[in-house]
Amino acid sequence: MGEVVPHPASDLISNSEVPALMGQIRPQWQSKGLIERVRRLLPVDPSSACQRLLNAAIQDLREKVQIAGIDIASEVAAAHKLPPINRGSRGGEDIENYSTAKLIDLSYRMGLLSRPEWRKMTRAYDIRRDLEHEDAEYEAGIEDCIYIFKTCIDAVLSRDPITLIHVSEVKQIVQASGPVTADPDLLTDYKHAPETRQLEILKFLLSVALDDSEPDLVRENSYVLIQELDALTGNSVRVDLATYQMDKIGRAPLTELQVRVAHAAGILPYFRKAQRTAFFRNQLEALEKIGHSWRAHASHGPALRLFPEFGGLASVPADVRVQIVRWMTLCYIGEEGGYGTMGRNRKVFYSNSAAPLIEQMFKEDREIIRDDVSGLQKDRAVKRACADEYIARRFQDLLDLVDA
C-alpha cells in the first residue's frame, strides 16, 4: 500500500540528458519547492513533471518581464498589439494576468527570448496542453520530456534576469569626459533590448551626432557608439530609423554629415534613391573638378578618403557609380612617364595618394563594380591611355583585382 510505482520509461529518463539539464537550473530556482516537486515526479509521472517544469519557466518569465521594466513591457505590448499593460502600480497585476501564450509572445518582443527560443517555447506549451488532456490516445514519452525540459531550462530557467538598457544610461556614456567605446555589458543589454527601445536609443544618438550645438566630443562619441551598435540592430529597426530620419530631412539635399551618420547606423540604403543619387553626383562633380591627373595628387587623398565613410562604392546608385569608377580608374592607371629629372626612370606617372585608396575600395566592393570596371575596356579615354604598355599593365592589375 502506498508504494510508488516507477513509470515504464523511468530508466530511459534516468539515462537521458534530463538529469544533467536539471543541474543547469539557476540556484534561486533550484531551492524552490516547484523544482523539487519536478524531481520527485520525474521517475513516476513524466507528464506531470513536464507540466510543472513549464509552469516554473512561465513564472520565471513573468518575474523577468517585471525586472526588465513595466515601462518597456507597456511599450512593447502597445507596439505589437498585445494585451495592454499599465505603466503604474497595476502593471505588475496586468503581467500576472497575462495568458501563457501571450506572455511567451511578450517575452520574445522584449528580447527575453530569441526568435528560435520563442518558437520552441510555443511548441513546448502546445505539448503541455496535450499532456493536460492525456488519455489512452496520448501518453507522455521520453521525447516529450526531453523537449520540454531542454527548452525550458536552456531558454529560461538557466538564465539570469536582464535589466534592459535605458536611454539615460546611453546619454551618460556619450557625455563622458573622454572618448568612449561600448563595453561588452552595454552591447549585451542593447542586443536584448526590444525593438522599440533600440529605436529610441538610436534616435537619441543620431540627433546628438547631427546637432551642431553639441560639443564635438559628445557628437564623436555618439557617432562611435552608433557604429558599434549597428551589427546588433535588426533590419526592422533600421527601416523605422530611416523613415524617422527621412521625415526629418524632407526633400532637402543630403549633407556629408547626414550620409556619414546614416551609413554608420546602417540606414543609408533605405534613404530615397533620388536624394542618394544627387548626393553622389555632387561627389563626382567634386572629383571631376579636382581632375584625375597625377598633378592633383595633393587633393586626391582628402576627397577619396570620404568615400568609405559614405559606405564605399556599394552605397552609390548604379548610374552614378559607373562614372565614379571611371574617374577612379583613369586616376589609378595614370599617364605616360619617363621624363623630367625625378621621373626619368618612372614609366607611369600616377597619383601616389589616390592609388592605394582606389585599390582598397575596388577590392572591398569588387563583386558590385566588376562589370563597371570590365566595361571600361571599351571606354575611349581608357583605350587611348592603354596604348602605352605600362599603363595597360596597371589597368590589367585593376581587372585582375576585381576578378579575384
Side-chain angles (χ1 to χ4, degrees):
M1 295 290 293
E3 182 180 355
V4 175
V5 180
H7 189 275
S10 60
D11 289 340
L12 289 174
I13 293 171
S14 299
N15 295 327
S16 72
E17 58 185 305
V18 169
L21 285 169
M22 291 290 290
Q24 297 174 19
I25 297 174
R26 300 196 318 277
Q28 52 265 54
W29 269 98
Q30 291 278 10
S31 60
K32 293 188 178 182
L34 186 54
I35 297 300
E36 182 56 36
R37 198 173 305 124
V38 170
R39 292 183 189 279
R40 293 198 303 268
L41 283 170
L42 193 56
V44 295
D45 190 352
S47 294
S48 294
C50 289
Q51 293 176 53
R52 282 164 175 74
L53 188 78
L54 192 129
N55 290 343
I58 295 303
Q59 183 56 37
D60 193 18
L61 282 178
R62 291 189 197 279
E63 294 174 4
K64 286 178 175 175
V65 167
Q66 297 198 50
I67 291 172
I70 300 296
D71 59 334
I72 295 179
S74 179
E75 291 174 10
V76 171
H80 297 282
K81 296 182 173 61
L82 293 169
I85 297 173
N86 286 287
R87 287 177 174 267
S89 57
R90 285 188 54 201
E93 182 181 339
D94 291 337
I95 292 170
E96 287 297 327
N97 291 331
Y98 248 56
S99 69
T100 298
K102 295 300 182 183
L103 181 73
I104 293 172
D105 291 344
L106 178 67
S107 300
Y108 161 57
R109 295 299 184 180
M110 290 182 65
L112 303 177
L113 296 173
S114 67
R115 184 172 181 81
E117 290 166 350
W118 165 68
R119 293 174 65 88
K120 289 179 181 179
M121 283 295 294
T122 301
R123 290 196 195 104
Y125 178 51
D126 289 340
I127 293 173
R128 196 202 76 172
R129 286 190 297 180
D130 288 337
L131 296 178
E132 286 176 344
H133 304 288
E134 186 177 27
D135 53 27
E137 296 181 2
Y138 189 91
E139 186 173 334
I142 183 65
E143 67 280 359
D144 295 315
C145 288
I146 292 176
Y147 190 89
I148 289 181
F149 271 72
K150 185 168 180 58
T151 298
C152 292
I153 294 172
D154 286 351
V156 183
L157 291 169
S158 64
R159 294 186 181 176
D160 291 326
I162 298 172
T163 303
L164 297 182
I165 190 170
H166 291 264
V167 177
S168 58
E169 297 174 63
V170 178
K171 184 176 181 180
Q172 290 178 347
I173 291 170
V174 299
Q175 290 180 340
S177 58
V180 300
T181 55
D183 62 59
D185 289 341
L186 172 66
L187 296 177
T188 300
D189 290 346
Y190 178 84
K191 180 180 179 181
H192 288 95
E195 292 179 352
T196 52
R197 182 51 53 89
Q198 287 191 356
L199 181 61
E200 191 178 353
I201 289 170
L202 290 174
K203 283 180 179 179
F204 165 74
L205 291 173
L206 255 69
S207 67
V208 173
L210 295 169
D211 189 350
D212 292 335
S213 66
E214 291 283 354
D216 289 343
L217 177 61
V218 175
R219 294 175 67 192
E220 185 61 27
N221 284 344
S222 297
Y223 179 77
V224 169
L225 204 52
I226 289 169
Q227 289 179 304
E228 297 205 29
L229 297 179
D230 177 44
L232 305 174
T233 302
N235 285 335
S236 59
V237 176
R238 289 194 181 97
V239 172
D240 290 342
L241 184 64
T243 301
Y244 164 80
Q245 192 64 14
M246 286 267 69
D247 288 344
K248 292 191 68 174
I249 294 171
R251 298 290 176 178
L254 297 174
T255 66
E256 290 186 356
L257 178 59
Q258 287 169 342
V259 172
R260 283 181 65 236
V261 173
H263 168 61
I267 63 175
L268 184 58
Y270 301 104
F271 279 18
R272 298 183 188 96
K273 182 180 178 182
Q275 285 173 294
R276 289 186 289 118
T277 299
F279 173 81
F280 283 107
R281 199 171 295 284
N282 287 337
Q283 299 303 310
L284 173 62
E285 290 174 0
L287 292 176
E288 290 176 337
K289 186 175 181 180
I290 294 170
H292 50 68
S293 170
W294 63 274
R295 295 175 180 84
H297 65 90
S299 300
H300 289 157
L304 291 174
R305 287 190 192 96
L306 292 172
F307 274 84
E309 296 186 7
F310 299 152
L313 294 169
S315 294
V316 185
D319 50 346
V320 184
R321 187 187 66 232
V322 171
Q323 299 174 65
I324 292 177
V325 167
R326 179 181 182 273
W327 186 96
M328 291 182 177
T329 298
L330 289 169
C331 185
Y332 181 88
I333 63 178
E335 307 165 20
E336 187 176 351
Y339 60 86
T341 303
M342 300 297 292
R344 188 173 295 121
N345 296 320
R346 188 170 178 177
K347 300 299 184 182
V348 180
F349 292 158
Y350 61 88
S351 174
N352 287 333
S353 60
L357 298 173
I358 293 170
E359 279 185 4
Q360 185 63 28
M361 282 188 277
F362 276 33
K363 182 178 180 181
E364 288 180 356
D365 294 323
R366 62 179 59 158
E367 298 291 337
I368 295 170
I369 66 168
R370 182 172 294 140
D371 291 342
D372 298 339
V373 179
S374 179
L376 291 173
Q377 294 177 87
K378 299 177 182 179
D379 183 85
R380 184 177 300 175
V382 173
K383 288 173 67 176
R384 184 166 54 247
C386 287
D388 179 89
E389 64 174 305
Y390 299 104
I391 294 176
R393 189 175 301 167
R394 288 184 62 78
F395 181 53
Q396 186 60 50
D397 289 342
L398 283 184
L399 291 172
D400 292 343
L401 180 65
V402 298
D403 282 336

